[in-house]
Amino acid sequence: MKAWHRYAITIALALVGGTAFAVHQVRGGLNDGRVSNGPWETGKSFGTVDASTLTRAKVALSGLMALPAKEAMYFTATRDSDGRALDGRCTYDLRGGKLDGRWWSVTLYEGEGWLVKNAANRWSVPASAVTADAQGKWAFTVSPDTQAGIWLPTGSVKAFDLTLRLYHPSADVIKNPEKALLPVIERKGCA
């Protein structure tokens, strides 16, 4: 084998291996500076100049369109409050109280940032859709089946995640997202 053949093969293998490693890293989830709060996770550097190149690539790939923290914070849940993976064949109650921000919404996604196809054509529950009781508590259901009241359909997908967008969060939430009062995700049963 000629020397230039060996060099060409080595370069080709390096390019393929490097590309595979880069794709693996970018698709590996948003772990840089991750903060947990119950079932919810966020990153303190999303949408900031402090975000690493890897974090920026991951945010771009996930379609998060991250705004600076003073504008919006993004909390994602892939598990319920008991630590079990969210399953689209199960029914969940999402319960909370007043969130420390101007406005919020919860959106349901399947896998890599895609909205779940469902007959109700409903993908998100905004703050304006829930009614708080006398104690300021509110709730809605996440389920594959039609539910009474406010309902976010799962489309019976095997796995899903929920993204809580908190717009204009308070300075306390920005500084200590791990201490923010966020909704509970309780599994009620599975089909």
Side-chain angles (χ1 to χ4, degrees):
M1 182 182 282
K2 295 184 180 183
W4 72 271
H5 285 137
R6 286 192 297 268
Y7 291 126
I9 291 169
T10 302
I11 290 171
L13 289 173
L15 288 172
V16 169
T19 301
F21 179 74
V23 168
H24 173 73
Q25 288 295 306
V26 171
R27 291 193 179 272
L30 294 164
N31 297 328
D32 294 0
R34 181 178 53 177
V35 176
S36 295
N37 181 332
W40 303 97
E41 294 181 344
T42 190
K44 287 189 173 184
S45 66
F46 296 172
T48 70
V49 296
D50 298 329
S52 69
T53 304
L54 182 58
T55 296
R56 291 174 192 221
K58 289 178 180 186
V59 166
L61 182 66
S62 70
L64 190 59
M65 302 289 288
L67 295 169
K70 68 179 182 176
E71 297 292 328
M73 288 194 71
Y74 309 88
F75 296 89
T76 302
T78 58
R79 302 193 166 279
D80 65 19
S81 293
D82 290 327
R84 295 175 293 206
L86 296 175
D87 185 328
R89 298 162 293 191
C90 300
T91 297
Y92 300 88
D93 281 343
L94 202 108
R95 296 186 317 273
K98 180 169 176 8
L99 297 176
D100 202 2
R102 182 173 289 170
W103 191 80
W104 60 266
S105 68
V106 174
T107 306
L108 190 141
Y109 294 99
E110 175 186 14
E112 299 175 7
W114 299 102
L115 295 171
V116 174
K117 292 180 183 177
N118 64 77
N121 290 325
R122 188 176 308 140
W123 301 275
S124 186
V125 173
S128 58
V130 299
T131 303
D133 64 16
Q135 290 79 35
K137 304 292 183 190
W138 52 264
F140 66 86
T141 305
V142 178
S143 176
D145 304 312
T146 303
Q147 301 288 314
I150 301 165
W151 163 60
L152 190 56
T154 66
S156 295
V157 296
K158 184 176 180 181
F160 67 92
D161 58 75
L162 297 169
T163 298
L164 167 65
R165 289 173 175 81
L166 183 59
Y167 293 94
H168 293 210
S170 71
D172 288 339
V173 172
I174 293 170
K175 185 176 178 182
N176 297 303
E178 65 278 2
K179 295 180 181 177
L181 296 175
L182 299 178
V184 170
I185 304 169
E186 180 183 0
R187 183 187 286 187
K188 301 308 282 183
C190 298

